[in-house]
Amino acid sequence: MCSSDLSIYKIFTSAALLERGMGIMNPVPVMDAYTSRVFRDNGGPYTVTNAGKYRTGSVTLQTALAISPNTTFVALEDRIGKIDPVVDMAYRLGMRQSLNFKDAQGRTIADAVKKEKRGSYTLGAEPTSPLDLANVGATLMSGGKWCPPTPIDAVLDRNGKPVPVPEAPCEQVVPEGLANSLAVGLSKDDQPGGTSFAAAQAAHWARPLLGKTGTTQNNRSAGFLGATPQYSGAVLVWPDGSRPAPICDTDPPRLCSDGNIFGGKVPARTWFDAMGPLHEGLPVMPMPPTDPRYVTGAGPNVPNVIGQGENTA
């Protein structure tokens, strides 16, 4: 279990917005800094900035997922109005072990985040299971069907016949069109301008995928979630100890005083290096078909995510 700030969690805010009427091609705001109108930080204003420099204005939700400005997704949480739908969406898509993890007070992470109204949830500031993240990718690439992760492919008897294995049933957790369209919304991360583009190029990656990187602002941890129609996987890199320190992007990674690790570096390179051989001999499959409802939005019900009422600082 990794405790870190992972922008991969922006997937859950996006999914919650799609469920409420947004589309992946709708415009969303990009600001240098944003002060939430809904969430507080230790009783005071909750203001976020970005880990990098971005051109301010507006981009599509699909582009925002690829370039990953923090300010955009806290502003989008404000449009939802509360954190509960984002947490519930994360659970539905696969973050079940992570959200059931107990904190020092004995509360589940899900209960603690909801009770404390943590606007930072979209930035991933909670204990995170890499297996959960990988399962989120699998859910999206399976048309919104969540299945319990298992190391068992099949059990055969001595005659080679399958033996039933008791497992929790799969669940259709979001509409197929939502899952497919969000997967396509996440398909630009390895393209020019995306945060894993350099890693994909170095690996000579040439397959469609959904991808999302995550990095702490102080470079103390980083991650990458990637999935194709055949495989899903997640890579997290973080300091193992009670005194986390910044991480330098070396081989292998090392703790240092001035970190420079990002999700598009060690985590993404590890993912592409592992997935390349796993996909050898497999057909190159396209991304799933989108649903217009989740691409252009639900008409007048599309949340107004630019303009009125937004408080930037």
Short mmCIF file of all heavy atoms in Angstrom, two decimals, residues 28-31 34 48 50 59 61 64 68-77:
data_model
loop_
_atom_site.label_atom_id
_atom_site.label_comp_id
_atom_site.label_asym_id
_atom_site.label_seq_id
_atom_site.Cartn_x
_atom_site.Cartn_y
_atom_site.Cartn_z
N VAL A 28 -12.97 22.41 -20.16
CA VAL A 28 -12.76 22.57 -18.72
C VAL A 28 -11.67 23.63 -18.52
O VAL A 28 -10.85 23.85 -19.40
CB VAL A 28 -12.35 21.24 -18.05
CG1 VAL A 28 -13.46 20.21 -18.16
CG2 VAL A 28 -11.06 20.69 -18.66
N PRO A 29 -11.66 24.29 -17.35
CA PRO A 29 -10.74 25.41 -17.16
C PRO A 29 -9.35 24.96 -16.70
O PRO A 29 -9.20 23.96 -16.00
CB PRO A 29 -11.42 26.22 -16.06
CG PRO A 29 -12.13 25.19 -15.25
CD PRO A 29 -12.60 24.13 -16.23
N VAL A 30 -8.34 25.72 -17.10
CA VAL A 30 -6.98 25.55 -16.61
C VAL A 30 -6.53 26.88 -16.02
O VAL A 30 -6.57 27.91 -16.70
CB VAL A 30 -6.00 25.12 -17.73
CG1 VAL A 30 -4.59 24.95 -17.17
CG2 VAL A 30 -6.47 23.82 -18.38
N MET A 31 -6.14 26.88 -14.76
CA MET A 31 -5.69 28.08 -14.07
C MET A 31 -4.35 27.80 -13.42
O MET A 31 -4.00 26.66 -13.16
CB MET A 31 -6.70 28.50 -12.98
CG MET A 31 -8.12 28.68 -13.48
SD MET A 31 -9.01 27.10 -13.64
CE MET A 31 -9.39 26.75 -11.94
N TYR A 34 -6.01 27.76 -7.94
CA TYR A 34 -7.46 27.70 -7.76
C TYR A 34 -7.78 27.54 -6.28
O TYR A 34 -7.20 26.68 -5.61
CB TYR A 34 -8.05 26.53 -8.54
CG TYR A 34 -9.55 26.44 -8.40
CD1 TYR A 34 -10.39 27.26 -9.17
CD2 TYR A 34 -10.14 25.56 -7.50
CE1 TYR A 34 -11.77 27.20 -9.03
CE2 TYR A 34 -11.52 25.49 -7.37
CZ TYR A 34 -12.33 26.31 -8.14
OH TYR A 34 -13.69 26.26 -8.00
N VAL A 48 -4.98 25.21 -4.53
CA VAL A 48 -4.05 24.29 -5.19
C VAL A 48 -3.37 25.01 -6.34
O VAL A 48 -3.91 25.95 -6.93
CB VAL A 48 -4.76 23.02 -5.71
CG1 VAL A 48 -5.28 22.19 -4.55
CG2 VAL A 48 -5.89 23.37 -6.66
N ASN A 50 -0.38 23.99 -9.73
CA ASN A 50 0.00 22.89 -10.61
C ASN A 50 1.46 22.52 -10.42
O ASN A 50 2.28 23.35 -10.02
CB ASN A 50 -0.25 23.28 -12.07
CG ASN A 50 -1.72 23.53 -12.33
OD1 ASN A 50 -2.58 22.78 -11.87
ND2 ASN A 50 -2.02 24.60 -13.06
N VAL A 59 -9.38 23.70 -22.01
CA VAL A 59 -9.03 22.55 -22.86
C VAL A 59 -10.17 21.56 -22.73
O VAL A 59 -11.06 21.72 -21.89
CB VAL A 59 -7.70 21.89 -22.41
CG1 VAL A 59 -6.53 22.86 -22.55
CG2 VAL A 59 -7.80 21.38 -20.97
N LEU A 61 -11.82 17.95 -21.61
CA LEU A 61 -11.57 17.04 -20.50
C LEU A 61 -10.54 15.99 -20.91
O LEU A 61 -9.68 15.61 -20.12
CB LEU A 61 -12.87 16.38 -20.05
CG LEU A 61 -12.75 15.35 -18.92
CD1 LEU A 61 -12.16 15.97 -17.66
CD2 LEU A 61 -14.12 14.71 -18.63
N ALA A 64 -7.20 17.56 -20.62
CA ALA A 64 -6.87 17.77 -19.20
C ALA A 64 -6.38 16.48 -18.55
O ALA A 64 -5.46 16.50 -17.72
CB ALA A 64 -8.08 18.31 -18.45
N SER A 68 -2.89 16.91 -17.15
CA SER A 68 -3.07 16.72 -15.71
C SER A 68 -2.85 17.95 -14.82
O SER A 68 -2.15 17.88 -13.81
CB SER A 68 -2.14 15.59 -15.24
OG SER A 68 -2.61 15.02 -14.04
N PRO A 69 -3.47 19.10 -15.11
CA PRO A 69 -3.38 20.23 -14.19
C PRO A 69 -4.23 20.00 -12.93
O PRO A 69 -5.41 19.66 -13.02
CB PRO A 69 -3.93 21.40 -15.01
CG PRO A 69 -4.83 20.76 -16.02
CD PRO A 69 -4.26 19.41 -16.32
N ASN A 70 -3.62 20.20 -11.77
CA ASN A 70 -4.33 19.99 -10.51
C ASN A 70 -5.52 20.93 -10.36
O ASN A 70 -6.59 20.55 -9.85
CB ASN A 70 -3.38 20.19 -9.33
CG ASN A 70 -2.28 19.17 -9.28
OD1 ASN A 70 -2.42 18.06 -9.78
ND2 ASN A 70 -1.16 19.54 -8.68
N THR A 71 -5.32 22.19 -10.76
CA THR A 71 -6.35 23.20 -10.56
C THR A 71 -7.65 22.82 -11.27
O THR A 71 -8.74 23.04 -10.74
CB THR A 71 -5.86 24.56 -11.08
OG1 THR A 71 -5.44 24.44 -12.45
CG2 THR A 71 -4.69 25.06 -10.25
N THR A 72 -7.53 22.25 -12.44
CA THR A 72 -8.71 21.86 -13.20
C THR A 72 -9.59 20.90 -12.43
O THR A 72 -10.81 21.05 -12.35
CB THR A 72 -8.28 21.24 -14.54
OG1 THR A 72 -7.59 22.21 -15.32
CG2 THR A 72 -9.48 20.71 -15.32
N PHE A 73 -8.96 19.89 -11.83
CA PHE A 73 -9.76 18.83 -11.25
C PHE A 73 -10.32 19.18 -9.88
O PHE A 73 -11.37 18.67 -9.48
CB PHE A 73 -8.96 17.53 -11.24
CG PHE A 73 -8.82 16.96 -12.62
CD1 PHE A 73 -7.77 17.33 -13.44
CD2 PHE A 73 -9.78 16.11 -13.13
CE1 PHE A 73 -7.66 16.85 -14.73
CE2 PHE A 73 -9.70 15.63 -14.43
CZ PHE A 73 -8.63 16.00 -15.24
N VAL A 74 -9.69 20.09 -9.16
CA VAL A 74 -10.31 20.59 -7.93
C VAL A 74 -11.50 21.48 -8.30
O VAL A 74 -12.55 21.43 -7.65
CB VAL A 74 -9.29 21.33 -7.06
CG1 VAL A 74 -9.98 21.98 -5.85
CG2 VAL A 74 -8.21 20.36 -6.56
N ALA A 75 -11.35 22.28 -9.36
CA ALA A 75 -12.47 23.08 -9.84
C ALA A 75 -13.63 22.18 -10.27
O ALA A 75 -14.81 22.49 -10.03
CB ALA A 75 -12.04 23.97 -11.00
N LEU A 76 -13.33 21.05 -10.88
CA LEU A 76 -14.37 20.12 -11.29
C LEU A 76 -15.03 19.45 -10.09
O LEU A 76 -16.24 19.20 -10.10
CB LEU A 76 -13.79 19.08 -12.25
CG LEU A 76 -13.35 19.62 -13.61
CD1 LEU A 76 -12.72 18.51 -14.45
CD2 LEU A 76 -14.51 20.25 -14.36
N GLU A 77 -14.24 19.17 -9.05
CA GLU A 77 -14.85 18.67 -7.81
C GLU A 77 -15.85 19.69 -7.26
O GLU A 77 -16.91 19.31 -6.76
CB GLU A 77 -13.78 18.42 -6.75
CG GLU A 77 -13.03 17.13 -6.87
CD GLU A 77 -12.12 16.92 -5.67
OE1 GLU A 77 -11.52 17.90 -5.17
OE2 GLU A 77 -12.00 15.78 -5.22
#
